[in-house]
Amino acid sequence: MKKFLLAFTLILGYTNSYSQCTPDPQYQDSTYAIWPDTVDNLPLVYQSQNYSTILTIKTPSTLIEAVGGDVSLVTIPLIGYVGDWPVDSMQLLGVTGLPSGFMYECEIANCIIPGNTLSCALLSGNTNDPIGIYPLVMDVQVYTHG
């Protein structure tokens, strides 16, 4: 009985250590973006009420896609243009600007998502912050090889 209880506890802890979300499959063939966003249907947050929404994330497939087409960001002295290099993965390092009491959980451990992949994150929390617009800044690191 003790072994069963230990195994059950470990399994329960493991399954709850990752976000409980499912990415929206309609974005599978899209380019790099996050849905919904503040312009497109991100649900409103009300003070002192529990909030939970799923963000669908499509990672870029190439460096030029990752930088939004800015050629100056993918041109390296002595190497040249590297915009066609594939994105191996993208890691979400942090999010600033969230209302107090809010958190995010990625579907994939450590928020390291392979390139050209559809994934998701759960955004949830409860806040007493004043009603307003909270611009979010997502700090990501893109990994590639060339």
Side-chain angles (χ1 to χ4, degrees), residues 102-137:
F102 272 62
M103 59 183 257
Y104 64 92
E105 298 174 68
C106 296
E107 172 192 31
I108 298 175
N110 301 321
C111 294
I112 301 173
I113 306 168
N116 199 30
T117 299
L118 195 64
S119 186
C120 62
L122 177 66
L123 178 62
S124 61
N126 188 318
T127 189
N128 287 319
D129 288 355
I131 295 172
I133 296 173
Y134 292 84
L136 303 181
V137 176

Side-chain angles (χ1 to χ4, degrees), residues 27 33-43 51 54-56 136:
Y27 300 111
I34 298 175
W35 302 272
D37 60 27
T38 54
V39 177
D40 181 28
N41 301 323
L42 187 64
Y51 181 85
I54 294 172
L55 302 174
T56 297
L136 303 181

Side-chain angles (χ1 to χ4, degrees), residues 14-64:
Y14 178 75
T15 58
N16 285 328
S17 66
Y18 298 105
S19 172
Q20 303 297 316
C21 66
T22 302
D24 188 335
Q26 73 173 323
Y27 300 111
Q28 181 61 51
D29 295 328
S30 299
T31 58
Y32 169 50
I34 298 175
W35 302 272
D37 60 27
T38 54
V39 177
D40 181 28
N41 301 323
L42 187 64
L44 296 174
V45 176
Y46 297 99
Q47 286 179 307
S48 304
Q49 291 185 12
N50 288 332
Y51 181 85
S52 179
T53 193
I54 294 172
L55 302 174
T56 297
I57 304 161
K58 176 68 184 269
T59 53
S61 59
T62 62
L63 290 181
I64 193 69

